[in-house]
Amino acid sequence: MSLRNQYPICEFDTSKNPIIHPANFLTKSLPEKCVITYLRKELERFVEEHKLPIIGYLNSEVFDIPIYEYVDGADRLCITMAFCGGPGAAVALEELHAMGCETFIVCGGAGALINDSKVGEIVVPVSAVRDEGTSYHYLEPSREIECHKETVEKVVSCLKEIGIPFKTGKTWTSDAIYRETPDMIERRRNEGCITVEMEAAAFFAVSRYYNIPLAQLLYAGDDVSGEQWDSRNWNTQKNIRYELLRTAIEIVKKL
């Protein structure tokens, strides 16, 4: 059943029979556990250090993203990347799930909306403000969406066990990195958001649609909480970013 609305983004079809579905043309060949990262250089370093083989690709017209296999004792998982933004997140999750992945940890950067944030601190988002478009194709319109609760609880438990400091909170998912205006930042902060990024709401929506266990580790990078943007050299914090990737790998092994 298709729900009509004055605004197309708020229209929703309850049908679960899309014309194109990745399971129709992809085969199950991947490990059940998967890390999706947006830390490309750190992934390349991990791949080189551990000599990881490529076991598949996420194909696109732009370029094909390799999927790597990582085996550590009895643990076998895959590690890959996704394109930025909600559509890229949803397509990656759809296709990886169709290829056999059942449990996901996503890790990447986010802008800090609160002024006491420290660069590199880990944020585990428990919900996201849906200020993007992709999630509205998977779930009926709502202001927010929660992350997979049981997986978040397991991630929090793992971080405590490992002894890594972290915060939990709400994130603001936006499609437009260059439209984070002071007034909108203030509005989202007043709603309780502590970070801003471009994928969480889409990941959470696809996760809920298929009931896929998924959680996210956000690395607090640049600071957009003040009157001026502070990059805080967020994309050059190599050791922090590398440890975030390693943490995501260790956590997915425990799920």
Side-chain angles (χ1 to χ4, degrees):
M1 180 179 68
S2 179
L3 307 178
R4 294 188 177 276
N5 191 283
Q6 180 181 356
Y7 305 105
I9 194 64
C10 292
E11 293 184 333
F12 178 72
D13 193 340
T14 59
S15 171
K16 295 209 171 188
N17 296 303
I19 297 298
I20 306 172
H21 194 282
N24 295 337
F25 56 87
L26 296 173
T27 59
K28 290 187 178 294
S29 59
L30 298 180
E32 291 187 359
K33 296 182 178 182
C34 179
V35 170
I36 299 174
T37 182
Y38 289 91
L39 307 173
R40 179 178 59 84
K41 292 181 179 179
E42 289 66 35
L43 174 57
E44 290 173 350
R45 173 182 165 187
F46 190 87
V47 167
E48 177 61 27
E49 288 180 356
H50 296 272
K51 307 302 179 186
L52 302 189
I54 296 173
I55 56 172
Y57 288 92
L58 294 172
N59 300 116
S60 79
E61 292 288 349
V62 180
F63 62 82
D64 297 332
I65 300 175
I67 303 168
Y68 300 98
E69 179 185 45
Y70 177 51
V71 179
D72 183 19
D75 296 304
R76 178 175 178 260
L77 57 107
C78 59
I79 313 171
T80 189
M81 298 188 66
F83 286 109
C84 291
V91 167
L93 193 52
E94 284 262 18
E95 295 187 357
L96 290 165
H97 184 243
M99 288 189 280
C101 298
E102 298 289 345
T103 304
F104 294 84
I105 292 293
V106 182
C107 66
L113 297 182
I114 52 177
N115 56 24
D116 65 344
S117 167
K118 295 179 176 59
V119 65
E121 70 180 357
I122 291 178
V123 175
V124 180
V126 298
S127 62
V129 171
R130 299 170 66 184
D131 191 14
E132 41 67 61
T134 304
S135 67
Y136 293 87
H137 296 277
Y138 288 87
L139 301 173
E140 291 187 31
S142 63
R143 189 163 190 84
E144 299 178 12
I145 180 173
E146 290 186 349
C147 188
H148 194 272
K149 186 176 180 180
E150 293 80 5
T151 310
V152 167
E153 290 173 350
K154 290 178 182 178
V155 167
V156 166
S157 177
C158 287
L159 288 170
K160 290 179 178 177
E161 180 183 333
I162 298 171
I164 296 177
F166 66 94
K167 288 182 178 179
T168 59
K170 186 187 303 183
T171 189
W172 165 29
T173 304
S174 169
D175 277 337
I177 191 172
Y178 295 121
R179 288 298 298 156
E180 296 169 6
T181 62
D183 284 350
M184 194 61 73
I185 289 170
E186 181 66 20
R187 181 182 302 180
R188 296 291 179 255
R189 187 163 48 228
N190 290 339
E191 288 185 71
C193 295
I194 62 176
T195 55
V196 57
E197 38 62 50
M198 300 181 69
E199 296 87 21
F203 276 127
F204 298 172
V206 180
S207 166
R208 182 183 295 181
Y209 183 83
Y210 290 106
N211 193 26
I212 299 171
L214 176 146
Q216 198 161 8
L217 301 177
L218 294 176
Y219 145 63
D222 57 323
D223 185 350
V224 295
S225 67
E227 294 183 1
Q228 292 185 326
W229 174 56
D230 183 357
S231 74
R232 302 198 295 192
N233 295 316
W234 70 274
N235 58 349
T236 62
Q237 307 289 332
K238 295 181 180 179
N239 290 334
I240 294 174
R241 291 158 62 93
Y242 187 70
E243 288 307 310
L244 177 63
L245 174 59
R246 284 170 46 86
T247 299
I249 292 169
E250 289 304 309
I251 288 177
V252 82
K253 287 158 56 177
K254 298 175 182 291
L255 299 182

